[in-house]
């Protein structure tokens, strides 16, 4: 069967081929009724975009690049899944890149994205990233970007994130309301904006509850179960032990729970636990666990919508910063 082309659709519908092309790309200058008729007819005839022809004409790609630090983290894997669905519905496909918390790998990813002329980028920076000049290259090549979760104030892009300061403050006060007074926090690299804000929230929460106990471990390497285990061990072997632990990742929490369980059920039962990334099976290990649930659907949709605005209306780009609230479960 002969592959149907834009010119075929234009001839059969009595439209100019440029009108059909714009309608198939959902361009705003084509009225909605015409767009819907063209899209319906193209779907009926089994039209498929010829990406090679588009690239030869210099048209934009239909590929969106999503850069995450660690796809094994539940937040990032769920985020990618939601973005992939939204992109498919809008006629785009997603290329997922994992920096594995390496700034050098992140730089190579950006080179690849620029070489492939990807339509736009959604990115969360690695734990090692302090200099963001490699991301700034995207602007030179007119590739729009929206930052999410781990963002940098040095990048003049739209961003979507959790209200991290108020979230950690709420976690501390909630644990205190449950009877815990010596609350320790296993956090990330303070050079990353996200962890700066969370640590401010932690200390703000301690001030609010009027406790003198302060213990924030800043873990600058990639989060691992082993790291969570040894960090918890360090805290519990100190002269003044915490009675509650906040983990910045369920990966760290897994290690922490392993250590507590190894010491006996009594310690595990008497220690309050709060963690980002709520895997239901964690509640089997600790009945008194507090899950910090990020609104993943809202964050992903807001991020995608901002990128689409930048792609469709490149001359009307506005830098927008959105924050969402977490739910404590």
């Amino acid at each position: 069967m002969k592959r149907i082309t834009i010119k075929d659709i234009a001839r059969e519908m009595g439209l100019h081929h440029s009108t059909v092309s714009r309608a198939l790309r959902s361009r705003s200058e084509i009225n909605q009724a015409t767009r819907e008729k063209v899209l319906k007819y193209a779907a009926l005839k089994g039209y498929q975009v010829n990406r090679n022809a588009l690239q030869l004409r210099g048209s934009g790609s239909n590929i969106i690049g999503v850069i995450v630090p660690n796809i094994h983290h539940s937040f990032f894997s769920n985020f990618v899944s939601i973005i992939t669905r939204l992109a498919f519905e809008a006629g785009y496909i997603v290329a997922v890149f994992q920096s594995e918390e390496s700034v050098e790998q992140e730089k190579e990813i950006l080179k690849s994205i620029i070489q492939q002329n990807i339509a736009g980028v959604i990115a969360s920076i690695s734990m090692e990233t302090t200099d963001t000049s490699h991301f700034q290259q995207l602007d030179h090549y007119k590739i729009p970007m929206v930052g999410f979760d781990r963002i940098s104030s040095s990048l003049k892009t739209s961003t979507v994130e959790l209200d991290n300061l108020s979230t950690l403050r709420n976690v501390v006060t909630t644990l205190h309301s449950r009877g815990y007074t010596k609350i320790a926090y296993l956090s990330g690299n303070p050079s990353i904006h996200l962890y700066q804000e969370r640590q401010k929230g932690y200390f703000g929460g301690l001030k609010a509850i009027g406790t003198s106990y302060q213990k924030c471990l800043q873990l600058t390497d990639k989060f691992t179960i082993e790291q969570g285990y040894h960090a918890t061990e360090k805290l519990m072997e100190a002269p003044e032990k915490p009675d509650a632990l906040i983990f910045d990742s369920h990966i760290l929490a897994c290690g922490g729970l392993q250590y507590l369980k190894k010491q006996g059920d009594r310690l595990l039962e008497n220690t309050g636990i709060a963690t980002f990334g709520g895997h239901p099976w964690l509640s089997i290990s600790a009945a008194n666990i507090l899950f910090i649930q990020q609104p993943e659907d809202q964050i992903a949709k807001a991020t995608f919508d901002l990128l689409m605005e930048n792609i469709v209306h490149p001359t009307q780009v506005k830098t927008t910063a959105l924050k969402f609230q977490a739910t404590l479960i």
Side-chain angles (χ1 to χ4, degrees):
M1 181 183 292
K2 178 180 177 292
R3 175 175 179 152
I4 190 169
T5 67
I6 286 175
K7 288 186 177 180
D8 293 332
I9 296 172
R11 183 177 62 254
E12 293 173 24
M13 295 189 70
L15 298 171
H16 193 276
H17 64 82
S18 63
T19 300
V20 173
S21 177
R22 292 189 182 99
L24 289 169
R25 286 180 287 151
S26 297
R27 296 289 293 270
S28 58
E29 61 264 36
I30 305 300
N31 69 66
Q32 185 176 351
T34 301
R35 285 204 307 270
E36 289 177 354
K37 286 180 181 178
V38 171
L39 290 169
K40 185 176 180 180
Y41 186 84
L44 181 66
K45 295 295 183 178
Y47 171 76
Q48 298 289 329
V49 176
N50 185 335
R51 298 311 311 169
N52 291 330
L54 284 175
Q55 292 293 341
L56 287 170
R57 290 200 303 272
S59 298
S61 165
N62 74 328
I63 302 174
I64 293 171
V66 178
I67 306 173
V68 296
N70 184 351
I71 198 68
H72 298 297
H73 193 291
S74 59
F75 170 77
F76 292 121
S77 59
N78 291 342
F79 180 91
V80 167
S81 178
I82 298 163
I83 290 291
T84 301
R85 172 174 53 79
L86 294 171
F88 179 78
E89 291 170 355
Y92 288 82
I93 57 176
V94 171
V96 180
F97 302 90
Q98 181 180 209
S99 68
E100 296 186 289
E101 303 290 7
S102 164
V103 67
E104 291 305 317
Q105 190 157 316
E106 202 172 62
K107 289 176 181 178
E108 292 303 313
I109 289 169
L110 266 294
K111 287 180 185 177
S112 177
I113 283 173
I114 290 168
Q115 290 168 358
Q116 294 177 49
N117 190 33
I118 279 177
V121 174
I122 292 170
S124 186
I125 65 177
S126 81
M127 193 84 80
E128 294 181 353
T129 303
T130 53
D131 177 2
T132 58
S133 56
H134 50 297
F135 281 105
Q136 293 167 1
Q137 295 176 47
L138 293 173
D139 188 54
H140 176 74
Y141 291 96
K142 307 300 180 186
I143 300 175
M145 171 182 154
V146 175
F148 79 100
D149 192 53
R150 296 192 203 161
I151 62 173
S152 172
S153 57
S154 64
L155 291 172
K156 305 306 177 186
T157 63
S158 291
T159 57
V160 182
E161 61 177 327
L162 191 70
D163 187 343
N164 289 291
L165 193 152
S166 68
T167 294
L168 260 293
R169 191 180 190 280
N170 291 340
V171 171
V172 171
T173 56
T174 299
L175 286 171
H176 183 256
S177 71
R178 296 183 177 186
Y180 302 105
T181 57
K182 297 179 180 179
I183 303 167
Y185 178 30
L186 287 76
S187 186
N189 191 338
S191 67
I192 303 296
H193 176 75
L194 174 146
Y195 299 118
Q196 284 179 17
E197 292 296 292
R198 289 183 182 177
Q199 289 166 25
K200 287 179 185 176
Y202 167 72
F203 288 111
L206 296 181
K207 184 177 180 180
I209 65 176
T211 180
S212 61
Y213 183 89
Q214 298 183 357
K215 188 64 68 173
C216 177
L217 297 188
Q218 298 171 338
L219 309 174
T220 57
D221 296 328
K222 178 180 178 181
F223 291 159
T224 64
I225 292 175
E226 184 180 19
Q227 192 180 41
Y229 182 98
H230 291 301
T232 303
E233 182 181 37
K234 179 180 179 181
L235 288 166
M236 289 301 178
E237 290 184 353
E240 189 174 17
K241 299 176 177 59
D243 60 10
L245 302 169
I246 304 171
F247 295 94
D248 245 324
S249 163
H250 71 277
I251 296 171
L252 294 174
C254 287
L257 289 170
Q258 282 184 10
Y259 172 82
L260 294 175
K261 194 168 184 62
K262 187 176 180 181
Q263 308 313 305
D265 291 340
R266 185 174 177 80
L267 180 61
L268 182 61
E269 290 169 2
N270 292 335
T271 304
I273 303 292
T275 181
F276 283 87
H279 276 291
W281 53 263
L282 280 175
S283 61
I284 299 172
S285 301
N288 52 350
I289 197 164
L290 180 67
F291 292 114
I292 307 164
Q293 183 64 52
Q294 301 191 60
E296 295 163 353
D297 285 291
Q298 294 178 53
I299 290 174
K301 187 176 188 313
T303 304
F304 183 77
D305 289 346
L306 285 173
L307 184 65
M308 286 297 101
E309 281 293 314
N310 290 351
I311 291 173
V312 176
H313 304 293
T315 61
Q316 302 174 28
V317 174
K318 294 180 181 178
T319 303
T320 304
L322 300 178
K323 289 187 178 184
F324 290 87
Q325 298 298 321
T327 302
L328 304 184
I329 304 172

